[in-house]
Amino acid sequence: MSSNITFCDLKGNCILSRKYRNDPLVTKESVDIIPKLLLENRTNKSSNKNEGVHYLIIKYNDILAMSLCSSLDDNKMDVFEQFQFLRESCEVLDTYLHTLTSKSLRENFIIAYELLDEMTDFGIPQITDIKMLKNYITQTNRKILKPVEKRKDNLRPPEQITGAINWRSTGIKYKKNEAFLDVLEKVNMTIDNKGHVQYSEILGQINIKSRLSGMPDVKVGLDDKGLITDDMDFEEPSSSPYLENTTGMVLEDLKFHQCVKLSNYENNKTITFIPPDGEFTLLQYKLNCTSKMLKPLILCDTQYDLHEGSRLQIIVRLRSNYKKQSIANNVLVYVPVTNEYDTPTFKHNHGKVKIVTDDNDPSKSFMVWKLKNLAGGKDYGLVAELQLPSTTAQSKKKNEYLSKLPTRIEFQIPYYTTSGIQVKYLKVNEPQLGYKTYPWVRYITESGDNYVVKK
């Protein structure tokens, strides 16, 4: 339960603030001192002027979204729920304002206040579904000047108030009825210099794009090897070449869209629902894996050699660790390099190489090796040479520092899931219209935000 929701720029200057509860600790001064608190945090100083007030903050573009509360021990206060609400609120504002920035928020603060009042009641999150909010808040960004569509039912209460199905309108029609289902899994992994996995997790979600007429009943059956259904008594081995033993996976979180009939899932493990129109996330899950659970999908060995104190040689060996029929697309290898270099030269037999500066930290530079595709079982090499400005001990120290930084890898492998989860069937039934449907299922595995190889 939040006492105050505030949006600031990166300096802490308040753009808009909405107070929800008469909390004696969360006052106007709690918002006014935000710039000072941010400055003190950057300079490692402390202040007691915000004593008793907790600031839950996320960054979105050039906006700081904050939830202010006086206690985190209250049973009604869920910290993670507040962070999730702040993230979803920013995404809603980003949709309405066509890009959420400090400038667009200042120019359209009236719409923002209306949205906050609909999304929150007495500091408790209520509605963040964009399709439901569009039935209440019909204004748009005044800079875009898109007129509100005039409909006969604009003067009537939205169906979300009177209907049993508050996420789907009646009268939806398509010439061709299609349902697109994407199983997307992001893999985070930390690999040591010997190719052993130290940490791994899978963040998965099932996304659906619905272009179906009427009020269809949809059923999705999953062959999840007991990872989600908690049915661990199976004899069939996993279909994933990345898995060694499915009992090493632990389901940590499972979240369904509100349209799913949870009673059906609990009884027969079938996901049954009437879908919202358009795109939505049906299911989210998180699997934590033991160190022996997952094999590295892509391995990278990086060596730094300092020759004669003025020439830095970097040798990179990249190897794919999956079956030949699978191909990784858009592979990016980020190798840390010094930003004090001259006349770089590269020798490689695949892809393109360039050196870029980190946008968030100009003092950091990376050699980026880009490969359009990387087939399974392939092994590629890269040799780079950089001329350094001096032969001092400081150069050697920088070289030792670089050799300890991890190499980050980005990739995408279509037509596969790392966990082995498969869609057994996708059935659509519309009893009144009785039309034919065209279901499509796609699988994608890609790197998460933290797929790194240590030196």
Side-chain angles (χ1 to χ4, degrees), residues 275-411:
D277 187 43
E279 300 180 12
F280 68 100
T281 299
L282 176 69
L283 168 66
Q284 292 177 309
Y285 56 92
K286 178 180 178 181
L287 296 170
N288 272 342
C289 316
T290 61
S291 58
K292 297 182 179 180
M293 187 62 216
L294 286 181
K295 296 180 180 179
L297 305 182
I298 297 178
L299 287 168
C300 184
D301 181 30
T302 306
Q303 296 180 2
Y304 295 85
D305 294 318
L306 187 63
H307 297 283
E308 300 175 358
S310 61
R311 182 169 58 90
L312 178 63
Q313 185 182 64
I314 305 173
I315 302 174
V316 184
R317 183 187 174 192
L318 189 67
R319 179 161 57 91
S320 55
N321 197 29
Y322 40 84
K323 291 185 177 180
K324 293 182 179 180
Q325 59 264 34
S326 297
I327 298 177
N329 298 326
N330 302 319
V331 179
L332 295 173
V333 182
Y334 292 86
V335 181
V337 298
T338 176
N339 56 356
E340 298 176 358
Y341 65 90
D342 192 13
T343 60
T345 59
F346 310 109
K347 295 180 181 180
H348 53 91
N349 54 6
H350 197 69
K352 299 179 180 180
V353 184
K354 64 178 180 179
I355 296 180
V356 299
T357 303
D358 192 339
D359 294 334
N360 298 323
D361 188 353
S363 64
K364 295 181 180 179
S365 297
F366 296 92
M367 180 175 65
V368 182
W369 187 10
K370 182 178 181 181
L371 299 90
K372 189 175 182 181
N373 51 66
L374 178 62
K378 292 293 183 179
D379 196 331
Y380 295 115
L382 164 66
V383 178
E385 289 190 358
L386 309 178
Q387 298 297 326
L388 302 183
S390 67
T391 60
T392 61
Q394 186 176 3
S395 297
K396 294 183 179 181
K397 188 175 181 180
K398 284 186 177 180
N399 181 49
E400 293 175 357
Y401 170 72
L402 286 173
S403 63
K404 295 179 181 179
L405 295 177
T407 298
R408 183 167 57 90
I409 306 175
E410 296 180 3
F411 59 87

Side-chain angles (χ1 to χ4, degrees), residues 188-215:
N188 288 316
M189 188 176 291
T190 301
I191 308 167
D192 63 17
N193 56 4
K194 295 182 180 180
H196 299 150
V197 178
Q198 294 181 332
Y199 167 80
S200 59
E201 69 172 4
I202 299 172
L203 304 177
Q205 61 184 45
I206 297 179
N207 300 323
I208 292 182
K209 182 178 181 180
S210 172
R211 296 176 58 85
L212 301 171
S213 305
M215 285 286 179

Side-chain angles (χ1 to χ4, degrees), residues 1 21 69-79:
M1 184 183 294
R21 295 191 299 157
C69 54
S70 58
S71 175
L72 298 179
D73 299 327
D74 191 344
N75 292 331
K76 297 181 180 179
M77 181 64 186
D78 188 332
V79 174

